[in-house]
Amino acid sequence: SGSVRFEDVRFAYNPSRPILRGVSFEVPAGRTVAIVGPSGAGKSTLSRLLFRFYEPQGGRILIDGQDIAAVRQDSLRAVIGMVPQDTVLFNDTIGYNIRYGRWDASEADLREAARSAQIDRFIESLPEGYDTPVGERGLKLSGGEKQRVAIARTILKAPPILVLDEATSALDSFTEREIQTALDRVSRGRTTLVIAHRLSTVVNADEILVLDHGHIVERGDHLTLLARR
Ligand code: ADP
Ligand code: ADP
């Protein structure tokens, strides 16, 4: 379960400047669909609508056939996991940050999530391990390390639906490749909406949609779109 469907969704922050002018697509359960397009095209707006930070001004958004207009925000957050562009960690331990929202998780689950996110060796090399304080008054983590903590949290949370918002954009290319591997692992078998501005980061998506001027102007797999460039 966990299909996501946008039906003729329209949205503007300012009535004189429409951002989405009737956007329709489906992410079938367990599939990965990527939205690419220039900066300002409205990609992040799509994910804000999915979390009901804003309501569509036309059309509707369905999860498993149910209009999300009738679903509470906290219920949505329970089924949709998000790896944001810039992860902000809580000023607490690494373990707390990975466990966040899954206080019932065992020590073994915690380690397994860290291993899948490829951050277990780093954490275990620290004298205080998972009890190491991070954030403002604790250990400063690099962008890639923070991202991996966020990925470990998402792995532990195991939501049926994932939103990856340019999740690797802030990283150098070596780290980006490592994170991409971890993300591919998380999204396997989950309904995943990837938001990206480069075609090269979404090679593995089942379908890629190009958003421009409020419309989906192209769709296809990676090779099909590359061939048209
Ligand atoms: P993308 O993710 O494709 O870069 P966004 O969805 O973030 O694009 O933004 C689409 C457009 O909406 C941009 O022109 C942006 O300036 C504008 N925008 C985004 N958020 C707001 C807001 N809260 N109020 C007004 N305009 C906004
Ligand atoms: P859950 O539904 O998993 O119990 P929430 O709905 O409270 O948790 O939050 C969803 C996700 O948003 C969390 O897994 C966490 O990644 C992130 N989050 C929530 N609040 C904060 C915050 N204050 N700072 C950073 N990330 C947060």
Side-chain angles (χ1 to χ4, degrees):
S1 69
S3 70
V4 173
R5 193 177 166 86
F6 277 62
E7 285 183 0
D8 199 27
V9 170
R10 292 159 193 271
F11 184 78
Y13 294 98
N14 174 332
S16 66
R17 205 167 76 83
I19 303 295
L20 304 175
R21 302 163 181 258
V23 169
S24 303
F25 64 88
E26 180 166 13
V27 193
R31 296 297 180 142
T32 296
V33 169
I35 309 271
V36 301
S39 176
K43 304 182 296 295
S44 302
T45 301
L46 290 174
S47 74
R48 288 177 212 137
L49 292 169
L50 185 57
F51 280 100
R52 293 195 63 203
F53 293 143
Y54 298 101
E55 302 297 327
Q57 291 150 0
R60 50 185 199 154
I61 302 171
L62 310 163
I63 292 182
D64 288 334
Q66 190 189 3
D67 190 335
I68 64 166
V71 180
R72 285 162 45 111
Q73 264 196 357
D74 48 353
S75 312
L76 283 175
R77 281 212 295 258
V79 295
I80 310 170
M82 168 115 181
V83 178
Q85 201 166 7
D86 293 302
T87 300
V88 179
L89 297 180
F90 300 102
N91 294 318
D92 206 297
T93 64
I94 296 189
Y96 177 98
N97 273 283
I98 297 177
R99 273 221 170 85
Y100 185 85
R102 275 294 314 277
W103 309 112
D104 59 323
S106 69
E107 203 67 24
D109 290 341
L110 179 68
R111 279 163 206 280
E112 177 57 29
R115 202 173 59 76
S116 291
Q118 297 174 296
I119 200 172
D120 56 323
R121 273 189 235 158
F122 167 73
I123 298 171
E124 282 153 21
S125 74
L126 301 167
E128 292 180 88
Y130 289 85
D131 295 329
T132 305
V134 293
E136 278 162 27
R137 273 160 285 109
L139 184 70
K140 298 267 180 295
L141 300 183
S142 71
E145 287 157 355
K146 280 195 267 188
Q147 201 74 306
R148 271 177 260 204
V149 169
I151 292 168
R153 180 189 297 160
T154 305
I155 291 171
L156 199 57
K157 182 176 169 180
I161 300 171
L162 265 182
V163 176
L164 309 179
D165 190 354
E166 302 195 314
T168 61
S169 63
L171 308 170
D172 63 82
S173 62
F174 177 75
T175 312
E176 174 170 342
R177 216 165 320 126
E178 287 194 331
I179 298 282
Q180 199 58 54
T181 308
L183 287 174
D184 287 345
R185 213 176 289 174
V186 192
S187 62
R188 203 167 301 147
R190 292 182 208 289
T191 309
T192 307
L193 184 63
V194 186
I195 291 168
H197 47 219
R198 275 177 298 149
L199 209 47
S200 61
T201 58
V202 292
V203 181
N204 296 324
D206 296 301
E207 188 179 38
I208 300 170
L209 311 174
V210 182
L211 185 67
D212 201 6
H213 292 93
H215 295 284
I216 290 170
V217 294
E218 271 189 282
R219 57 177 83 205
D221 65 13
H222 185 252
L223 283 179
T224 312
L225 292 188
L226 262 191
R228 289 195 204 130
R229 257 134 240 246

